Amino acid sequence: MQYRLKIVFVDNQELELMETEKHGFSDDLELFEVTTSAEVYVIPLKQIKYIACDGKIFKN
């Protein structure tokens, strides 16, 4: 299942990923990892202001 994920950084830049397959935190809770159908993103948590996810994936 693919869904939309939006990441807003502390400098107010936005990254909107339309084909996200999974996302989560690293074991040491310092990185946020996102896998899309084309790429893998690894972002330091200190650079993230907030994360928004398409609520449709949480139905059921």
Side-chain angles (χ1 to χ4, degrees):
M1 171 178 38
Q2 293 181 340
Y3 53 94
R4 186 178 72 201
L5 185 75
K6 181 177 180 179
I7 301 170
V8 178
F9 297 96
V10 292
D11 62 357
N12 291 325
Q13 290 187 18
E14 297 180 359
L15 176 63
E16 191 161 350
L17 305 168
M18 302 303 284
E19 298 175 346
T20 305
E21 293 178 353
K22 68 178 182 175
H23 68 276
F25 300 98
S26 64
D27 290 339
D28 59 3
L29 298 175
E30 291 192 16
L31 301 172
F32 185 68
E33 302 166 353
V34 181
T35 303
T36 67
S37 58
E39 297 179 290
V40 174
Y41 296 87
V42 179
I43 305 165
L45 275 177
K46 292 180 180 182
Q47 294 183 3
I48 297 175
K49 190 177 206 177
Y50 70 87
I51 302 162
C53 182
D54 186 358
K56 294 177 190 171
I57 66 167
F58 296 113
K59 290 184 178 177
N60 297 335

